[in-house]
Amino acid sequence: MDNNEMERVPGAGEAHEEYDASQIQVLEGLEAVRKRPGMYIGSTGEKGLHHLVYEIVDNAIDETLAGYCDNIVVDILEGNIIRVEDNGRGIPVGIHPKLGIPAVTVVLTVLHAGGKFGGSGYKVSGGLHGVGSSVVNALSTWLEVEVKDGQHIYKQRFERGKPVYDLKVMGDTDETGTTITFQADPEIFTDTTVYDYDVLLTRLREQAFLNAGVRIHLSDKRPDMESRSDLLHYEGGIRSYCEFLMEKSKREKLTPDPIYLSAVKGTSTAEIALLFNDGYDTNIISFANNIHTVDGGTHETAFKNALTRVINNYGRRFKILKDNDPKLRGDDIQEGLVAVISVKLTDAQFEGQTKGKLGNTSMGTMVNNLVNEQLSAFLEDNPPIAKMILEKAVAASTAREAAQKARDLQRSKTGLTKVRMPEKLADCISDDMNLTELYIVEGDSAGGSAVKGRDRNYQAILPLWGKMLNVEKARVDKVYSNEKLAPVVIALGTGIGEDFDISKLRYGKVVVMADADVDGSHIRTLLLTFFFRYMPELIEQGHVYLAQPPLFKVEKGKKHFYAFSDEERDKYIAELGGGANVQRYKGLGEMDAEQLWETTMDPEFRTMLKVEMADAEKADATFTMLMGDEVEPRREFIEKNALRVENLDI
Ligand code: TSJ
C-alpha cells in the first residue's frame, strides 16, 4: 500500500462511517486471541513466549527483504520487556481508506493484518504459526509503537491489545524506522515471562544467516542478568551458516569453502551452500521463506536426490566408480555433509502436523535443476574436490557394506535369523554331511526332471538361470559378475571370500550337472572359476564334482544301455547284435526323471568326476580368456569344444 493512497491525518482519528463496525470486529478478534492463545502462537509456555519476539522481528526482516532496512536492534530490558527497532521506512501512518484509522493501528489491532501490506510480493517472511503483530499486541500487558517517517515521530500505546490513545505526533525527525516495545502478559504466559538470551540468540543468528548483510544487534539489559551483547552480521549469508555449522561439528573440513549454488526464477529464489567434513553425521537444514522446514519437503528431497544423481554420474563418467561398482547410495554420499538450503517463493504451502514441510512441487523442480546444472559444473571445474567427495562416499559405502556383513554373520552365528534359502532350491531332508548332495543344474526343465528323479532324503536340487536366452548363453561368462550366483552362495551356506567358512557348508557334495555341449561347458567353466576364486577350500577339500550324464541310449527289445562315449556306444551296439536303436542325448532336458536318476544321480550306477585344484585352475585360465575382449580366442574355444564335447572336457 502506498502512503499516498491514504489521506495523512496525524493525531486523533477522525469520525468515519465504518469505524464503529470495524472497531467491534477488532475487539472480537482480540477476545478470540486472548481466549485461545495457543491457537495463534502454538503454546503459552516458554516457546510461545519467545515466539512473540520472533513475530515482531520477522516484520522488520520483511522490511529488510523489501530492501529498505539493514539494521535491527533487539533489547531485553528490565522486567523482561522487549524492544525491537529497525531503520526501515516506518509502518505507514496514513488513514486506512476503509477503516478510517491509521494503517499502523490496523497492523497492530486487526488479525492477520500483515498480509494486507504484503501485496507487492516481497512478504515471504513469517512465523511458524502465521501470527501477526496484532496477536503479540493482544497477548501483551502493554505495547508501544513508535514510527519515524523522515518528518515526524508518531506514537501509540495499547494495553492488552486495546489502544490507550490514538496515534499521536511526538515531534520531528529526519530519520525513518519502527520501534516496538512490549511486555508479555503474565496472565497468558503463566509458566514464565523470563526470556532465555541463548534461545533468542540462536534464532536471530539463523535469521541473520538467512538474510545476508543485515545487522541484528541483540543485548541483554536486564539488571538481574549477566549483561550480554551480540552483533549478528554475515555478508556470506548461508555460506557463513554452512561454515558456522561446520565449526560447531568440531570436525575437519574436507572441502575448502562451501560450494554455493543459487538460482532465480520468476518470483522464486533457491540457494544452497554445502561442504563436507571428515565426520559421519549428516546435517542438512532447510528453509522456505526464512521458516525452518523441520520436516523438509520438496526442496530438501529434490536436493538429496539430485546430489545422489550428480555424484554418481560424475563417478561413472570419470571412472572413479568402475562399471561393476554398485551405485552410491544417498546416505553414503551424505556422510559428513553439512548443507543449508534456503528457498523463497510466493504462496508457500506448508504441510504436515507441525506445518514444517514444504509442499510446493515447483520448488522440487527448481532445486533439482539447480543442483543438476550448477553442482555438475562445479565438480567438473574442481576435480580435486570432486575426487575427495567421491572417495569419501565410496569409503562410506564400503564401510557400510562391511558392517552389514558383520551383522549378518553375527546374526547367523547366533541363530537369531535363519538365512532365507533361494526360492528355487529344492532342499533335502537330511543334514548329514556324509550323505547330502547339492545338484546345481542348468535350466528349469532339467531342474524339474532332477527334482522328480532325486532321492529327496539326501539330494537337493538348485536350478540356475531358468530359461536362458541365446544371447545370454553366448556370453554366459558375463553372469559371473552379477547377482545370479547368489543362490549358489546362499544354498552352500559358507559365505565367500574372506567370510568363507567351510564349517557352515550345508552339503557334503556339490555337483555341477550341465549339458554335454558348448553351453554346458561354459557353465562348468563359470562355476569352477567362481569356486576357485572365492571358495578354493571347497575344491581343496574335495567337495566339488561334475555329473556325467550319458551321451547315448542303446536299446533293443527290453534291454537298454547308456553309453558315455562313442566307443562305449559301439560296444553296446555290437553286444546287442545289430538292429539296436540308438538315441543321442543333446541335453539333460531330453531325459525324463527316471532316466536322469538311473544314469546320472543314482549313487549305485552313476559316475562323477571329482574336481581337483588343477582342473579349477585350468577353468580359471579358460574363463579369463573368455572374459577377455579378444573375440578370436573365444570363438576358437567354442569351436574346439563343440568338437570335444563328447569327452566332457571343461
Ligand atoms: F508489525 C510490527 F509492528 F510488528 C512491526 C513492523 C515491528 C517492527 C519491529 C517493524 C515493523 C516494520 C514494518 N518495519 N518496517 C515496516 N514497514 C512497513 O510496514 C511498510 C512501510 C512502507 C510501505 C510502503 O509501501 O510504503 C509498506 C510497508 C509494509
Side-chain angles (χ1 to χ4, degrees), residues 25 30 46 107 167 180 200 210 252 277 284 300 307 320 341 391 421-422 529 551 564 585 641:
Q25 268 179 9
L30 272 182
E46 202 171 341
V107 166
L167 186 70
I180 297 275
L200 294 179
L210 292 170
E252 291 301 318
N277 66 31
I284 301 173
E300 194 174 312
L307 178 71
I320 298 170
I341 305 164
E391 278 170 1
M421 281 299 134
T529 304
L551 296 170
F564 294 85
Y585 292 122
N641 279 271

Side-chain angles (χ1 to χ4, degrees), residues 421-443:
M421 281 299 134
E423 214 176 314
K424 289 200 168 167
L425 175 72
D427 216 342
C428 56
I429 294 163
S430 170
D431 58 6
D432 179 353
M433 292 284 285
N434 295 313
L435 295 175
T436 52
E437 302 174 343
L438 174 69
Y439 280 81
I440 302 173
V441 186
E442 178 204 352

Side-chain angles (χ1 to χ4, degrees), residues 1-4 55-64 66 68-69 72-73 83-92 104 107-108 114 116-118 120 122 132-134 136 143 145 177-180:
M1 182 186 293
D2 292 322
N3 278 334
N4 60 17
E55 183 53 43
I56 296 299
V57 173
D58 284 351
N59 285 281
I61 298 273
D62 283 348
E63 189 71 356
T64 303
Y68 297 102
C69 163
I72 300 170
V73 182
R83 183 172 64 207
V84 182
E85 180 179 358
D86 74 25
N87 65 346
R89 291 166 293 179
I91 309 176
V104 57
V107 166
L108 288 163
K116 288 184 183 154
F117 294 89
S120 56
Y122 67 76
S133 36
S134 60
V136 179
L143 179 148
V145 58
T178 302
T179 306
I180 297 275

Side-chain angles (χ1 to χ4, degrees), residues 249-266:
S249 77
K250 298 262 180 283
R251 286 288 183 168
E252 291 301 318
K253 273 201 279 193
L254 279 187
T255 47
D257 293 328
I259 302 168
Y260 180 73
L261 321 168
S262 70
V264 181
K265 190 165 179 264

